[in-house]
Amino acid sequence: GQRTPVERAVVLTFDDGRIDSWRGADRILERYGMRATMFVIAGQAQQAHPFYMSWKEIRGAASSGRWDIQEHAGMGHEQIVMRPNGERGPFYSNRRWARGRLESLAGWRRRVTSDIRWARRVMAENVPGHRPSAFALPYGDLGQQRSNDPRIEHELRRWLAERFDAVFLVSPPEYVRAGRPG
């Protein structure tokens, strides 16, 4: 019999909403009629940091039809102090060490979920028709790589899964293998 051709999809993603990545990639996407997803740090756009796209540029990218705009972080794309010795780790996957003590798990939960909710709200206000569907964790880490509390990975994974159709991580490898359902 005749073989049916297999379609293969490629997902192009760009983290941070950096202006240099967008300018270079947008011309290529336009030339080849392709689309990509940009994971934006809402706090950088809100602060009008010159290294990152402005809300006006993000709106333009979204309206071009070439870019799907999704959330990467609110203000939480940073490293925080996570241990008494000053060791730093990702904002979302660690409890903060400050004033001689480790923040409570409830405090961590409020800090992280507030940041993600704030970003979602600000993106909806600034990008007409925005539909949040995917989230790319800063540093690709929800606690599976390095955390000062083993409960964070499970809790953050569950919380994000309830709110997003897809969550992008760096590892473990089983999340990025071909053929694995999302």
Side-chain angles (χ1 to χ4, degrees), residues 125-144:
E125 291 168 359
N126 286 284
V127 183
H130 179 260
R131 286 188 35 248
S133 62
F135 185 84
L137 274 140
Y139 312 104
D141 191 3
L142 56 73
Q144 84 283 11

Side-chain angles (χ1 to χ4, degrees), residues 113 116-117 120 132-134 158-166:
T113 61
I116 296 168
R117 285 184 174 120
R120 180 177 277 200
S133 62
R158 181 186 52 74
W159 192 87
L160 290 169
E162 290 170 359
R163 288 155 182 84
F164 295 95
D165 297 325

Side-chain angles (χ1 to χ4, degrees), residues 76-90:
H77 195 305
E78 65 178 9
Q79 301 276 322
I80 60 166
V81 175
M82 60 184 271
R83 300 200 196 287
N85 66 2
E87 181 183 348
R88 300 174 75 77

Side-chain angles (χ1 to χ4, degrees), residues 23-85:
R23 284 182 178 152
D26 191 54
R27 287 188 293 267
I28 294 168
L29 294 174
E30 184 176 31
R31 181 182 313 142
Y32 293 102
M34 297 177 70
R35 293 181 44 84
T37 299
M38 180 186 316
F39 291 99
V40 172
I41 302 171
Q44 297 296 356
Q46 195 74 358
Q47 293 176 355
H49 190 290
F51 186 71
Y52 297 94
M53 294 171 68
S54 67
W55 284 122
K56 180 180 178 183
E57 291 162 328
I58 292 168
R59 282 190 294 275
S63 69
S64 76
R66 291 184 293 278
W67 293 94
D68 177 30
I69 307 300
Q70 295 297 323
E71 185 180 343
H72 193 29
M75 299 297 287
H77 195 305
E78 65 178 9
Q79 301 276 322
I80 60 166
V81 175
M82 60 184 271
R83 300 200 196 287
N85 66 2

